[in-house]
Amino acid sequence: MEIVLSKIISDIKRMEDKLSSKMLKTVDEAYQMLLYLQELLHTVKTKVLQTGFVNGAQEIDFFKNIKPQIMGKLIYYNKVFRIEIACPVSNGKLYNSYYESQLRKLKSEYTETICHEDFYRYYRAGRTDRDEVYFRLGQINYHDGLKSGVFEILVNFFFVIQPI
């Protein structure tokens, strides 16, 4: 099975540029990207489930490099969509305070749920010594104490985020 990271990144970038050139409202652009990324994710998931991996190295590369590119964009556009759809007004003090509040929430979420996680530090440090544990199918370590979201993950692949 061959899924090329550079092709996925260039396809995503091309879609972002295409939507950006249409001068859509931010909420509409985010929604269109959500639809596109969900379809891309479905296509990649189907390909992975149908063809599998040639070896462990290819599986690790997929879950360490390819999947995070798609999921990262999907999570980003989902956050943008949710923030934009809930914005109470289009300008003024309330508008500014809404976005300041959302920024504080995002920073807090990052601090509380991401930056202190062992996995995040492992990934950001570029380490490879635990790749077999972190990036192979079915390698859930229940002894580490899992966040509730882990139970939504399909053991044979990964979950799809629904907008809203």
Side-chain angles (χ1 to χ4, degrees):
M1 179 204 56
E2 186 71 29
I3 297 175
V4 181
L5 177 60
S6 60
K7 181 177 179 348
I8 287 174
I9 292 171
S10 66
D11 288 349
I12 292 171
K13 179 70 175 142
R14 196 171 11 266
M15 179 56 86
E16 288 173 327
D17 291 345
K18 178 182 172 184
L19 291 174
S20 181
S21 70
K22 290 183 177 183
M23 304 296 287
L24 300 170
K25 292 191 294 186
T26 304
V27 69
D28 295 329
E29 187 175 329
Y31 182 73
Q32 291 301 313
M33 281 303 297
L34 277 171
L35 296 178
Y36 169 76
L37 291 164
Q38 288 229 352
E39 182 59 34
L40 176 62
L41 187 63
H42 176 74
T43 301
V44 170
K45 177 181 176 180
T46 301
K47 187 172 183 177
V48 166
L49 292 174
Q50 286 176 348
T51 61
F53 298 103
V54 174
N55 56 35
Q58 188 182 55
E59 181 179 357
I60 289 169
D61 178 60
F62 175 79
F63 286 108
K64 188 173 186 177
N65 300 308
I66 296 169
K67 177 188 160 213
Q69 292 294 322
I70 300 169
M71 291 300 296
K73 290 285 189 175
L74 190 54
I75 291 167
Y76 169 78
Y77 282 107
N78 190 53
K79 290 268 188 201
V80 169
F81 179 76
R82 292 184 65 174
I83 289 169
E84 288 295 318
I85 202 76
C87 187
V89 292
S90 62
N91 59 24
K93 288 183 180 181
L94 187 57
Y95 177 82
N96 290 334
S97 69
Y98 172 77
Y99 283 106
E100 288 170 3
S101 169
Q102 291 300 312
L103 183 57
R104 281 192 301 277
K105 285 180 187 175
L106 288 171
K107 286 178 180 179
S108 176
E109 181 181 313
Y110 167 77
T111 302
E112 292 173 13
T113 63
I114 297 173
C115 73
H116 298 299
E117 293 291 325
D118 291 337
F119 173 76
Y120 180 75
R121 289 193 306 265
Y122 172 86
Y123 186 81
R124 295 289 292 180
R127 291 173 48 195
T128 59
D129 56 296
R130 297 196 67 197
D131 281 359
E132 289 286 331
V133 173
Y134 284 132
F135 301 108
R136 297 292 305 267
L137 290 171
Q139 298 294 320
I140 298 174
N141 184 352
Y142 294 99
H143 295 289
D144 288 344
L146 304 173
K147 295 193 185 306
S148 298
V150 170
F151 299 108
E152 297 174 22
I153 298 172
L154 299 174
V155 175
N156 66 338
F157 203 69
F158 54 90
F159 65 100
V160 177
I161 297 174
Q162 296 295 323
I164 305 176

